[in-house]
Amino acid sequence: MRKSDVIQLIFHRPPPTDPKHEKGLAFAPTNIALVKYWGKRDAELNLPMTSSLSIALPDKGAMTTVMLQDQAQETVIVNDREIPSDSEFVKRITQFLDLFRPEKKWHLNINIKMNIPIAAGLASSACGFASLISALNDLFGWQLAAHQLSILARLGSGSAARSFWTGFVEWHAGVQSDGMDSVAEPLSVEWPGLCVGLLTMSDKEKPISSREGMQRTVNSSILYTAWPKKVTQDLAILKQALHVKNFPLLGGTAESNALTMHATMLASWPPVCYFLPETIAAMQQIWSLRRQGLALYFTEDAGPNLKLLFLEEDIGAVKEHFPSVEVVNVFEKE
Ligand code: 2P0
């Protein structure tokens, strides 16, 4: 099964690409997985081995504007800087656009504004591809539903499937080879007062991409066989925690899931390690604060930075111990 087959299943004809507006514009929030996606059963369609569950950061993400342009290639601008056309990022975007233009008849000026560090484990590819497909949907008037956009965004980057909603989102692994059931959906639960703290140790580009890191883990880590079991357990526990609003259960499950993911990576060869000394030091400080009674937990993605999990009532204490933390009150209404 190829990506072009999925395009056919969604559109039932070549995707219409007569612009309906001068510009297409869309925002997508970034998402932080509490139960992680790590490993693919199909690398072409980015079909995951397991389901995953994330929380969106409502104001953090990517705003993307697309316009047709009279040039033989794309112009990609991220945070006011033009990205070289031979870079991996532009190549990935170009290949993604090729799915919608088999004859390469049009080209785009793509302007992305991100208010998160790029490629440092803050899911910039997730909100990037989600906002790009939504901007195309706007430009060409496709009127696709969110679940269809989720399937298309996944073809660009797996975790992008989860970036179409605020709040908690589950990405179902699915079982079909065409991936039409590997789609995300929002959970109908809110948690006013739940906070995510971004603790940035480094905003440098990570040395091993998620794509490469997860492939290496699946291929070489003896611990990976335990991962699907761990995810199944954690998903059930996390949903229970959401249902009964048990914060230590949510925080503990997310932290344990992240540490297990990193353990599977460490057992890969060559090893996949995203920790910096500062990452470990922050973990130890969190464990020490927890022993003293603070309900503070963390999760970590494919980068050295931690995302802290805590409740609104502890914002003061968290800021006191981590002065550089950026707090996102996830469900706060404007
Ligand atoms: C996640 N990560 O669930 C996990 C946890 C990083 C660690 O999804 O190859 O950029 O584009 O499907 O989505 C990052 O991987 O990888 C990721 P591709 P993606 O958020």
Side-chain angles (χ1 to χ4, degrees):
M1 189 63 67
R2 302 200 49 81
K3 287 179 178 168
S4 51
D5 301 321
V6 177
I7 301 296
Q8 174 65 25
L9 287 167
I10 297 270
F11 289 95
H12 308 293
R13 57 186 168 143
T17 53
D18 288 333
K20 291 285 174 293
H21 314 282
E22 191 192 337
K23 288 179 181 177
L25 175 69
F27 175 79
T30 191
N31 72 76
I32 307 291
L34 301 177
V35 176
K36 309 291 189 190
Y37 149 53
W38 198 253
K40 305 177 197 210
R41 66 173 199 278
D42 181 326
E44 161 85 10
L45 302 185
N46 290 330
L47 297 178
M49 291 281 197
T50 68
S51 298
S52 56
L53 197 155
S54 63
I55 177 95
L57 303 185
D59 307 322
K60 297 261 166 213
M63 177 74 83
T64 296
T65 310
V66 291
M67 286 171 79
L68 290 174
Q69 69 176 9
D70 266 341
Q71 287 185 29
Q73 61 178 17
E74 266 54 58
T75 304
V76 181
I77 297 162
V78 178
N79 291 350
D80 299 322
R81 200 169 61 90
E82 185 167 343
I83 309 296
S85 55
D86 58 354
S87 66
E88 272 312 303
F89 185 67
V90 173
K91 278 192 216 155
R92 264 178 83 178
I93 287 188
T94 305
Q95 283 168 5
F96 184 67
L97 292 175
D98 289 347
L99 297 172
F100 306 96
R101 52 169 186 198
E103 291 167 27
K104 288 194 196 264
K105 276 195 181 143
W106 45 267
H107 293 277
L108 293 178
N109 179 297
I110 302 170
N111 196 322
I112 305 174
K113 296 238 191 255
M114 288 206 197
N115 57 1
I116 52 170
I118 296 163
L122 260 171
S124 53
S125 72
C127 59
F129 277 99
S131 63
L132 175 59
I133 190 68
S134 297
L136 295 177
N137 187 46
D138 184 32
L139 178 69
F140 298 126
W142 288 335
Q143 299 186 320
L144 295 175
H147 76 275
Q148 294 172 305
L149 295 173
S150 170
I151 289 172
L152 291 175
R154 167 170 52 72
L155 302 179
S157 181
S159 52
R162 301 187 304 239
S163 269
F164 292 90
W165 302 272
T166 52
F168 297 100
V169 173
E170 181 172 3
W171 172 16
H172 302 283
V175 293
Q176 291 174 209
S177 60
D178 62 10
M180 295 305 280
D181 57 351
S182 184
V183 59
E185 69 169 345
L187 302 185
S188 61
V189 54
E190 297 204 345
W191 197 321
L194 182 69
C195 293
V196 173
L198 306 177
L199 197 59
T200 305
M201 260 67 80
S202 164
D203 60 5
K204 290 208 182 74
E205 194 148 330
K206 53 198 171 196
I208 307 170
S209 71
S210 300
R211 189 153 291 195
E212 159 73 22
M214 63 175 93
Q215 207 52 46
R216 203 186 290 174
T217 309
V218 172
N219 291 342
S220 69
S221 172
I222 195 165
L223 301 185
Y224 192 75
T225 51
W227 177 245
K229 221 181 297 172
K230 173 72 175 160
V231 168
T232 304
Q233 276 174 12
D234 286 348
L235 274 175
I237 299 171
L238 199 75
K239 285 182 190 173
Q240 178 64 12
L242 293 178
H243 185 61
V244 299
K245 296 276 186 315
N246 180 334
F247 178 69
L249 193 60
L250 174 140
T253 306
E255 185 174 305
S256 163
N257 185 269
L259 287 169
T260 306
M261 176 184 74
H262 284 276
T264 68
M265 296 176 190
L266 287 171
S268 309
W269 199 261
V272 177
C273 178
Y274 292 108
F275 299 151
L276 285 178
E278 295 87 334
T279 316
I280 306 280
M283 286 180 187
Q284 289 180 335
Q285 197 181 348
I286 291 162
W287 292 326
S288 162
L289 289 166
R290 217 155 62 217
R291 282 195 295 274
Q292 294 164 43
L294 186 63
L296 176 63
Y297 299 83
F298 68 83
T299 185
E300 182 190 354
D301 292 297
N305 303 317
L306 296 188
K307 288 89 183 191
L308 308 183
L309 301 166
F310 52 96
L311 295 175
E312 196 173 17
E313 66 219 39
D314 290 323
I315 290 179
V318 171
K319 282 190 171 164
E320 185 190 325
H321 294 287
F322 298 97
S324 66
V325 71
E326 191 178 343
V327 176
V328 180
N329 200 331
V330 179
F331 290 95
E332 196 174 51
K333 300 272 184 292
E334 301 216 333

